[in-house]
Amino acid sequence: SSMIDSNRVRCGVVGLGGWGTKRRATLRQAGCFEIVGGVDVRPEIFAEAEAEEGHALKRYADVSQLCEDSQIDAVFICTPAQLHVPQAMTAARAGKAVFTEKPLGPDPHACRELVDYCEQNHIPHGHDFSMRFAPQWQYVRQIVASGQLGKIVSISAATMSTAGFFF
């Protein structure tokens, strides 16, 4: 019997380690996604991902091969930023729903091309802006919106993660 639940959105994850580890955790928590397999430049990451997912994962050589799999409904792009748009476009052209981590990409024209392609071809697409909902940023938003700081002319903010990810 297959480990794949037909009532769930069947996903492929491009970049299983790094930020992909966090994305896979949110997909598991949501309860409506099944991770079928993925792509990663580090073959050793599959053993870790399989242990976390609780089942074997299909291993694809690249995004194109992943997108050729009819068992994949949606593709989550969790790779370095300069790869987001080309990888997401590969998924979109294959007719897969696509979700891309932030930033969408370094070239605004290429980003617009991707979004336009998805819109014109009715490809479900999403882009991560999860930090805006984090409690600390909601608090900052409240303070700014309250007017207690007066007229804001410039804001600079930085975050630091102690989880080994540095941006």
Side-chain angles (χ1 to χ4, degrees), residues 23 75-78 81 83-85 87-89 98-105 114 125-129:
R23 178 56 54 207
V75 178
F76 286 80
I77 308 292
C78 307
L83 301 174
H84 289 175
V85 171
Q87 290 175 336
M89 188 61 94
V98 63
F99 181 88
T100 309
E101 296 295 341
K102 65 177 173 37
L104 185 54
L114 171 65
H125 58 99
H127 178 61
D128 183 37
F129 282 105

Side-chain angles (χ1 to χ4, degrees), residues 11-160:
C11 303
V13 178
V14 183
L16 286 166
W19 197 257
T21 302
K22 290 179 181 265
R23 178 56 54 207
R24 287 187 295 101
T26 61
L27 295 174
R28 281 194 306 277
Q29 290 167 6
C32 57
F33 296 96
E34 182 70 32
I35 299 172
V36 174
V39 176
D40 202 286
V41 295
R42 295 160 300 151
E44 66 274 10
I45 201 68
F46 280 90
E48 179 184 313
E50 287 171 339
E52 291 167 354
E53 298 310 320
H55 62 87
L57 297 174
K58 290 185 179 183
R59 300 172 186 216
Y60 304 95
D62 56 30
V63 180
S64 295
Q65 187 184 54
L66 181 148
C67 291
E68 289 169 6
D69 189 339
S70 63
Q71 279 200 320
I72 302 287
D73 302 315
V75 178
F76 286 80
I77 308 292
C78 307
T79 52
Q82 71 274 17
L83 301 174
H84 289 175
V85 171
Q87 290 175 336
M89 188 61 94
T90 297
R93 287 190 174 127
K96 307 295 183 184
V98 63
F99 181 88
T100 309
E101 296 295 341
K102 65 177 173 37
L104 185 54
D107 176 2
H109 299 293
C111 294
R112 179 83 258 161
E113 215 173 280
L114 171 65
V115 171
D116 288 346
Y117 181 89
C118 290
E119 291 290 319
Q120 291 163 7
N121 293 282
H122 309 287
I123 304 293
H125 58 99
H127 178 61
D128 183 37
F129 282 105
S130 58
M131 289 307 294
R132 69 174 52 179
F133 301 108
Q136 66 270 29
W137 297 114
Q138 288 297 305
Y139 179 66
V140 170
R141 184 175 186 268
Q142 285 176 339
I143 291 171
V144 170
S146 75
Q148 72 188 64
L149 299 176
K151 180 182 177 186
I152 305 293
V153 294
S154 178
I155 295 178
S156 178
T159 61
M160 184 181 90

